[in-house]
Amino acid sequence: MQLIIERGALLKALGHVQNVVERRNTIPILSNVLLSAEGSHVSFSATDLDMEIVDSAEAIVAVPGQITAPAHTLYEIVRKLPDGADVELRYQAGDDPRLSVQAGRSRFALPVLPAGDFPVMSGDHDGATYALLKEDLKRLIDKTRFAVSTEETRYYLNGLFLHTLTEDGSGYLRAVATDGHRLALAEMPAPDGSIGSAGVIIPRKTIDQARRLLDDGTGYVELTVSPAKIRFNFGTAALTSKIIDGSFPDYGRVIPKNNDKLMRIDTGVLSRAVDRVSTISAEKSRSVKMAIEPGRLTLTVRNIEAGQAVEEAEIDYDSDALEIGFNARYILDVMGQIAGEQVELRLNDAASPTLVLDTADQGVQYVLMPLRV
């Protein structure tokens, strides 16, 4: 195998795929990236056995071929090469096979493993295929992924539940995440061809990788969804992943329908106030008490060791007085995704979940479970 490729194109492609590779691997080949040169392109593949990313770039291919080389090492070498450099990649079989990387006066020789040993995910892409704007998929991910659970015991919550549904004659594509303490939901009109596709729980790591790939340019991303896999096609790059085998809970039951106490407050005011008072909260619970009365919100944090913090803020509220507690971190996470100048909290009582709505985006809903304070 022998080819010449521009450093920027090589860095971009390697940057996409090397994120999948774990820093420590018990299986040596999983630390490598598969290079495949053919025609006028070279493709790069990396996998952790649950997920695979393939990206390609234009290159001048003198000798087609395949080989695998250490992903992180190769990426770091290319990252440190000068801008605009032409990089020659050359591999020749022999007693001491190496991948030669040459640019200007820099030369590197990297260890290799046979391309035939590299695990490739099966190429069956059966399932519903539909396209949506990258900006729309970004929104679905950004508005919800912070609520994905990190507890391995309830593995079915360790991902984002992507599914379609029909309500009042209209179809929606909806993303939901929950960790049992809070829930985030975002939806959009269903893209053509998506209605009836399998509802899938996409692993957290896959969501993070897809979100990184969405930052490159605008346009459409194509999704192929089957009961066992999901595939994101970004054009030159494609991400294929297994999905979490489990049933996502019936989240509709925890979304409050009859919370009749309505509170409106400036999003920035609430976020900054909670951030200030939570400075002295206990690290474990991070609880903040909200005393809500017509026209006024009082935030209080008491910590036996660190002291007490109180802050008041003006609100739009005309129902009965109410005291309720929340985890400050959860409030701040939600506030970070509110696009509108004002946020709306729909409350019931101190023991019931609270519904949080964005006044500028009707397609998102957040649920916060209260704490005892």
Side-chain angles (χ1 to χ4, degrees):
M1 185 188 81
Q2 184 179 351
L3 62 98
I4 294 174
I5 182 171
E6 195 270 324
R7 179 253 184 194
L10 178 57
L11 184 67
K12 182 180 176 183
L14 282 174
H16 286 161
V17 301
Q18 62 100 26
N19 280 316
V20 176
V21 179
E22 299 287 354
R23 288 284 174 183
R24 292 179 179 176
N25 263 308
T26 53
I27 306 173
I29 194 88
L30 296 183
S31 297
N32 283 15
V33 57
L34 172 67
L35 289 75
S36 305
E38 189 176 4
S40 60
H41 287 81
V42 57
S43 70
F44 305 87
S45 305
T47 183
D48 64 359
L49 297 182
D50 291 319
M51 168 174 43
E52 175 187 76
I53 293 185
V54 181
D55 201 354
S56 63
E58 289 189 5
I60 301 169
V61 179
V63 180
Q66 286 187 314
I67 196 60
T68 79
H72 294 303
T73 307
L74 182 57
Y75 174 76
E76 287 301 320
I77 288 170
V78 175
R79 186 176 67 83
K80 294 173 182 178
L81 292 175
D83 286 342
D86 284 332
V87 183
E88 183 189 58
L89 301 176
R90 180 186 301 184
Y91 162 71
Q92 195 163 357
D95 293 336
D96 184 25
R98 300 274 168 175
L99 175 68
S100 166
V101 182
Q102 187 166 342
R105 295 185 174 185
S106 301
R107 290 188 299 277
F108 303 87
L110 301 181
V112 296
L113 289 170
D117 294 347
F118 191 83
V120 178
M121 292 185 82
S122 63
D124 61 312
H125 303 312
D126 295 338
T129 299
Y130 54 90
L132 68 160
L133 284 167
K134 288 183 178 179
E135 291 301 317
D136 288 337
L137 184 55
K138 266 189 201 178
R139 173 181 160 273
L140 291 180
I141 292 174
D142 287 345
K143 298 289 184 185
T144 55
R145 66 170 168 169
F146 68 87
V148 171
S149 176
T150 55
E151 289 182 23
E152 300 299 329
T153 49
R154 292 192 287 179
Y155 65 93
Y156 48 85
L157 299 183
N158 295 156
L160 193 67
F161 183 41
L162 187 71
H163 61 298
T164 58
L165 70 160
T166 303
E167 283 184 350
D168 302 325
S170 300
Y172 296 94
L173 178 64
R174 181 180 285 180
V176 182
T178 182
D179 60 6
H181 305 290
R182 63 219 171 134
L183 180 143
L185 178 156
E187 64 185 15
M188 59 172 281
D192 291 343
S194 63
I195 290 293
S197 60
V200 291
I201 307 172
I202 310 169
R204 183 174 57 250
K205 184 178 177 182
T206 304
I207 288 295
D208 291 342
Q209 295 302 331
R211 181 62 184 84
R212 285 193 185 98
L213 291 166
L214 285 168
D215 280 334
D216 282 330
T218 55
Y220 285 85
V221 56
E222 185 180 84
L223 270 65
T224 301
V225 183
S226 73
K229 286 197 188 96
I230 185 165
R231 177 180 168 86
F232 301 83
N233 193 333
F234 299 90
T236 60
L239 165 61
T240 306
S241 171
K242 295 177 183 176
I243 59 169
I244 294 174
D245 184 14
S247 297
F248 201 77
D250 181 7
Y251 63 87
R253 289 167 49 194
V254 302
I255 299 176
K257 305 291 191 294
N258 303 312
N259 285 11
D260 55 359
K261 295 181 175 67
L262 179 61
M263 174 184 122
R264 283 192 174 212
I265 183 171
D266 182 284
T267 308
V269 168
L270 179 59
S271 182
R272 289 188 293 271
V274 170
D275 192 29
R276 279 190 289 267
V277 298
S278 67
T279 306
I280 67 164
S281 64
E283 195 59 42
K284 189 175 181 182
S285 68
R286 294 184 62 87
S287 62
V288 174
K289 184 173 81 171
M290 289 184 173
I292 305 164
E293 56 188 299
R296 183 169 65 182
L297 168 68
T298 305
L299 299 170
T300 307
V301 173
R302 287 189 178 88
N303 185 339
I304 296 172
E305 297 172 359
Q308 178 175 317
V310 180
E311 183 160 340
E312 294 183 355
E314 289 186 10
I315 57 172
D316 181 3
Y317 181 77
D318 59 7
S319 297
D320 297 336
L322 174 68
E323 287 191 355
I324 190 169
F326 294 110
N327 182 309
R329 178 78 263 149
Y330 296 168
I331 298 174
L332 293 173
D333 284 344
V334 170
M335 292 304 113
Q337 297 305 326
I338 300 293
E341 289 186 4
Q342 285 206 319
V343 61
E344 187 177 294
L345 278 73
R346 296 188 178 180
L347 307 113
N348 185 20
D349 56 46
S352 300
T354 293
L355 183 64
V356 183
L357 301 175
D358 188 342
T359 55
D361 189 344
Q362 302 299 314
V364 297
Q365 298 179 56
Y366 302 101
V367 179
L368 292 174
M369 299 301 291
L371 292 174
R372 288 182 183 174
V373 290

